[in-house]
């Protein structure tokens, strides 16, 4: 199915979803050298965000998080695209400076997509395509 | 968000990839905060300078950028005195990374002034900010001073958004750029005679209580100096996130009639409680100049130190151009054994971490030292701080 969304950072990508209901503080929650979520309190603890279409409500925490996203990208460990319910400046800026497609303003239902679902993000057209929707 | 034809062409990448991404930052922030359009800025102060804060990730990003700033642009304080870092006790490895960060900014055409008080060094014809001007400044106390004392208009920018404003020459029109967000939220009535560090203590209290509000101060028979307003705003921006305040008869006035959502009354008792809670005793170092000392403050400190010797490490932090403008004051201060460090301060330098308890006259340093440097802080007047450094009191 196809969902309309709002472009924050341009580009398009397709990959497997990694979904969380927790906001992400890239500084602190994610290890810039491995792409692993290292905060035991986070729903994605122990998972790797590299190459995934990362679906999460939005960012939080230190503004240094923007640079962490950039560092992940340079090391080939960044998500291939990101989808937020509502983007805030840390993730928005991080995605833009890193050239990672980012969209927001989608319904919260998207947080019910199962991990590993094939998701396509086309930020320039403002569209998200999901191969199989939830029951 | 509306973009002019020229802005649209940058957004579409017709003037290169760096500018396209910079415009994308401005547009994204404008969308997030509901801006109608972009406005030109008179000057930019860029955050993301201290290597302690940005780390390897930030340095990589800045180093990869191409382009030149198109409006006067300066920097936040760095993690060390760019010349005398060894004397501060900064490690060589850190110093190298810090120098690389500075060089990366220089390459983009940024003027290497690392200070939280750009308004003290650029005055008159070289001024970076005047009443009503739109700015894109970063450092929280500078933002507060520009909005409140100068009457300019700026949000508190992060590193990338400030650099985007510097390279594009514009910022998105939202937040403190708009009259509707510049009305007071709290009335603060202060029944006390205030001087010097009292303003830092007052700001420390009010910031905690109003958070990101806009306080309007009614002081009892007080006419605060520029340095005292600087201290007040800096403390509120650190203990809370106040970016704009008013002081009756001392700052520009609110843009329209207003009603406070809440009234706060404070007096001598509450201010003295701050001093009591953060006592002087046991300090192993003293640091002044948060925000950076003005020429007048250097003069006062030099007067108190003249002909004496310090018993404890005493740092005086200021902007390099202020120190250069007052070589005799700097010499007098340093003859006492105190050190005048430029480009940095006790809050952003990793060199602070070797102390266990630092004494200061700054409400801002009081708010930040424990969390950012892991150092306990004591608050006292400028004279008390000097007395502690001279070993006249413990």
């Amino acid at each position: 199915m196809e969902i309309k969304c709002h472009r924050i950072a341009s580009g398009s990508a397709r990959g497997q979803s990694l979904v969380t209901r927790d906001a992400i503080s890239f500084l602190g929650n994610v290890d810039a050298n491995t792409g692993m979520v290292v905060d035991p309190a986070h729903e994605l603890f122990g998972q790797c965000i590299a190459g995934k279409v990362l679906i999460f409500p939005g960012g939080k925490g230190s503004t240094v998080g923007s640079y962490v996203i950039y560092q992940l990208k340079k090391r080939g460990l960044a998500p291939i695209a990101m989808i937020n319910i509502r983007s805030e400046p840390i993730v928005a800026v991080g995605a833009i400076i890193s050239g990672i497609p980012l969209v927001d303003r989608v319904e919260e239902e998207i947080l019910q997509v199962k991990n590993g679902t094939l998701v396509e993000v086309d930020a320039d057209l403002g569209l998200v395509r999901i191969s199989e929707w939830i029951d | 968000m509306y973009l002019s034809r020229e802005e649209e062409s940058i957004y579409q990448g017709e003037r290169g990839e760096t500018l396209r991404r910079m415009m994308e930052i401005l547009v994204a922030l404008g969308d997030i905060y509901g801006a109608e359009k972009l406005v030109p800025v008179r000057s930019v102060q860029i955050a993301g300078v201290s290597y302690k804060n940005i780390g390897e990730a930030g340095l990589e990003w800045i180093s990869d950028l191409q382009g030149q700033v198109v409006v006067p642009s300066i920097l936040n304080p760095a993690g060390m005195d760019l010349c005398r870092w060894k004397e501060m006790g900064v490690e060589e490895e850190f110093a190298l990374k810090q120098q690389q960060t500075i060089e990366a900014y220089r390459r983009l055409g940024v003027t290497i002034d690392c200070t939280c008080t750009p308004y003290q060094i650029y005055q008159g014809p070289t001024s970076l900010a005047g009443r009503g001007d739109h700015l894109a400044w970063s450092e929280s106390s500078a933002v507060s001073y520009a909005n409140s004392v100068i009457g300019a208009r700026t949000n508190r920018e992060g590193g990338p958004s400030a650099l985007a404003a510097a390279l594009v020459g514009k910022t998105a029109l939202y937040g403190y750029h708009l009259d509707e967000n510049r009305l007071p939220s709290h009335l603060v009535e202060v029944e006390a005679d205030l001087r010097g560090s009292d303003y830092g203590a007052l700001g420390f209290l009010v910031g905690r209580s109003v958070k990101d509000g806009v306080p309007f101060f009614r002081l009892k028979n007080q006419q605060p100096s520029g340095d005292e307003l600087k201290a007040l705003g800096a403390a509120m921006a650190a203990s809370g996130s106040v970016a704009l305040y008013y002081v009756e008869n001392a700052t520009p006035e609110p843009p329209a009639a207003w009603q406070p959502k809440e009234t706060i009354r404070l007096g001598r008792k509450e201010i003295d409680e701050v001093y009591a809670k953060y006592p002087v005793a046991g300090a192993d170092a003293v640091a002044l100049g948060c925000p950076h000392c003005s020429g007048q403050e250097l003069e006062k400190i030099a007067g108190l130190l003249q002909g004496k010797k310090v018993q404890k490490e005493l740092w005086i932090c200021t902007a390099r151009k202020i120190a250069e403008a007052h070589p005799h004051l700097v010499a007098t201060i340093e003859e006492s054994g105190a050190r005048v460090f430029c480009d940095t301060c006790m809050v952003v330098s990793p060199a602070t971490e070797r102390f266990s308890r630092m004494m200061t006259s700054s409400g801002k340093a009081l708010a930040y030292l424990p969390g950012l440097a892991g150092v306990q802080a004591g608050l006292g007047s400028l004279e008390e701080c000097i007395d502690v450094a001279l070993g006249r009191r413990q």
Side-chain angles (χ1 to χ4, degrees):
Chain A
M1 73 172 288
E2 227 172 60
I3 306 171
K4 282 205 171 118
C5 58
H6 168 250
R7 161 187 162 176
I8 297 280
S10 70
S12 60
R14 192 164 67 152
Q16 290 191 338
S17 64
L18 181 64
V19 190
T20 175
R21 283 157 209 263
D22 290 351
I24 298 177
S25 168
F26 279 86
L27 182 74
N29 286 170
V30 182
D31 183 341
N33 293 308
T34 60
M36 301 291 288
V37 176
V38 290
D39 178 358
H42 201 279
E43 190 188 355
L44 293 182
F45 176 61
Q47 305 235 39
C48 184
I49 63 172
K52 297 286 177 21
V53 174
L54 186 60
I55 305 176
F56 60 111
K60 61 170 185 177
S62 164
T63 54
V64 177
S66 303
Y67 303 128
V68 172
I69 295 172
Y70 185 78
Q71 207 170 22
L72 286 164
K73 174 73 178 183
K74 278 194 78 177
R75 286 163 181 47
L77 296 169
I80 196 167
M82 296 190 283
I83 302 173
N84 288 161
I85 305 302
R86 198 81 185 179
S87 292
E88 48 58 68
I90 301 167
V91 171
V93 166
I96 292 166
I97 65 178
S98 311
I100 300 169
L102 167 66
V103 296
D104 76 341
R105 298 186 201 171
V106 293
E107 296 295 324
E108 293 207 13
E109 281 178 337
I110 202 161
L111 299 178
Q112 292 168 36
V113 167
K114 290 198 181 76
N115 284 342
T117 305
L118 191 62
V119 176
E120 186 178 343
V121 176
D122 190 327
D124 303 326
L125 292 178
L127 283 178
V128 173
R129 290 193 191 87
I130 300 171
S131 64
E132 48 185 294
W133 190 235
I134 41 161
D135 306 330
Chain B
M1 184 167 143
Y2 166 80
L3 295 182
S4 70
R5 191 180 294 178
E6 192 203 353
E7 289 161 0
E8 183 66 34
S9 75
I10 296 173
Y11 189 60
Q12 297 303 335
E14 287 167 30
R15 289 184 45 202
E17 182 60 15
T18 293
L19 272 187
R20 186 192 70 74
R21 286 192 189 184
M22 294 297 142
M23 185 59 94
E24 202 168 47
I25 290 175
L26 299 180
V27 171
L29 294 176
D31 274 351
I32 289 170
Y33 293 112
E36 277 176 27
K37 59 174 185 175
L38 301 177
V39 280
V41 292
R42 176 163 172 179
S43 62
V44 176
Q45 182 202 33
I46 303 166
V49 179
S50 175
Y51 184 74
K52 179 181 166 184
N53 295 338
I54 63 168
E56 192 59 32
L59 173 56
E60 280 182 31
W61 177 63
I62 300 155
S63 305
D64 289 345
L65 290 173
Q66 305 294 327
Q68 287 288 305
V69 301
V70 295
V71 291
S73 302
I74 49 124
L75 294 172
N76 268 25
M80 62 185 201
D81 186 307
L82 297 178
C83 303
R84 295 170 68 183
W85 51 269
K86 247 181 201 157
E87 268 179 79
M88 288 187 86
V90 170
E91 302 282 336
E92 191 142 4
E93 193 183 346
F94 179 92
L96 182 68
K97 294 291 186 185
Q98 184 64 77
Q99 297 286 10
Q100 287 173 359
T101 310
I102 298 297
E103 286 315 306
Y105 280 119
R106 197 194 304 276
R107 208 173 38 84
L108 296 170
V110 175
T111 305
I112 307 305
D113 285 308
C114 301
T115 182
C116 47
T117 60
Y119 48 87
Q120 290 183 161
I121 58 179
Y122 292 102
Q123 293 179 338
T126 63
S127 170
L128 299 177
R131 197 160 176 172
D133 285 339
H134 295 283
L135 318 172
W137 284 17
S138 289
E139 197 282 321
S140 67
S141 78
V143 164
S144 173
Y145 195 95
N147 275 327
S148 313
V149 184
I150 298 172
R153 289 160 184 253
T154 177
N155 292 315
R156 183 180 171 186
E157 300 292 341
S161 67
L163 204 41
L167 291 162
V168 174
K170 294 177 182 178
T171 192
L173 187 65
Y174 68 90
Y176 293 105
H177 292 283
L178 300 171
D179 278 354
E180 67 207 59
N181 301 317
R182 295 178 66 91
L183 293 174
S185 59
H186 295 71
L187 175 63
V188 185
E189 295 186 324
V190 186
E191 282 285 328
D193 291 326
L194 302 172
R195 60 185 293 270
S197 58
D198 291 343
Y199 284 91
L202 175 64
F204 183 80
L205 287 174
V206 173
R208 270 204 312 209
S209 121
V210 309
K211 300 187 174 68
D212 62 352
V214 179
F216 182 100
F217 288 87
R218 192 166 283 153
L219 306 178
K220 179 191 154 202
N221 302 323
Q222 301 278 300
Q223 196 59 38
S225 68
D227 283 327
E228 287 168 336
L229 291 172
K230 174 177 83 175
L232 174 69
M236 288 192 290
S239 71
S241 52
V242 174
L244 168 64
Y245 65 93
Y246 298 92
V247 178
E248 196 171 50
N249 302 323
T251 65
E253 287 167 15
W258 58 281
Q259 284 294 324
K261 292 186 196 84
E262 207 180 311
T263 297
I264 299 168
R265 290 188 181 82
L266 294 169
R268 190 76 244 168
K269 177 171 162 285
E270 287 80 12
I271 289 167
D272 283 343
E273 278 168 6
V274 179
Y275 291 109
K277 191 168 176 202
Y278 301 95
V280 176
D284 54 352
V286 181
L288 303 170
C290 169
H292 278 164
C293 280
S294 64
Q296 289 88 329
E297 287 169 319
L298 285 185
E299 192 170 356
K300 193 167 177 191
I301 294 165
L304 291 167
L305 287 174
Q306 187 152 33
K308 306 189 177 77
K309 290 286 174 202
V310 296
Q311 307 296 315
K312 282 188 175 136
E313 212 162 321
L314 170 59
W315 292 3
I316 315 295
C317 303
T318 188
R320 185 161 295 279
K321 285 199 169 81
I322 295 279
E324 285 171 356
H326 302 91
H328 299 298
L329 297 178
V330 171
T332 303
I333 292 169
E334 297 223 324
E335 275 162 26
S336 75
R339 285 289 165 264
V340 177
F341 289 129
C342 302
D343 321 310
T344 188
C345 74
M346 59 290 220
V347 171
V348 293
S349 177
T352 304
E353 292 162 16
R354 71 183 137 96
F355 302 115
S356 64
R357 187 177 181 86
M358 191 169 241
M359 162 125 196
T360 176
S361 61
S362 159
K364 172 175 176 164
L366 182 69
Y368 277 149
L369 281 173
L372 292 180
V375 174
Q376 291 196 324
L379 183 73
S381 69
L382 179 70
E383 291 79 2
E384 285 172 317
C385 286
I386 298 282
D387 277 350
V388 169
L390 292 173
R392 290 174 171 174
R393 57 183 288 177
Q394 287 305 307

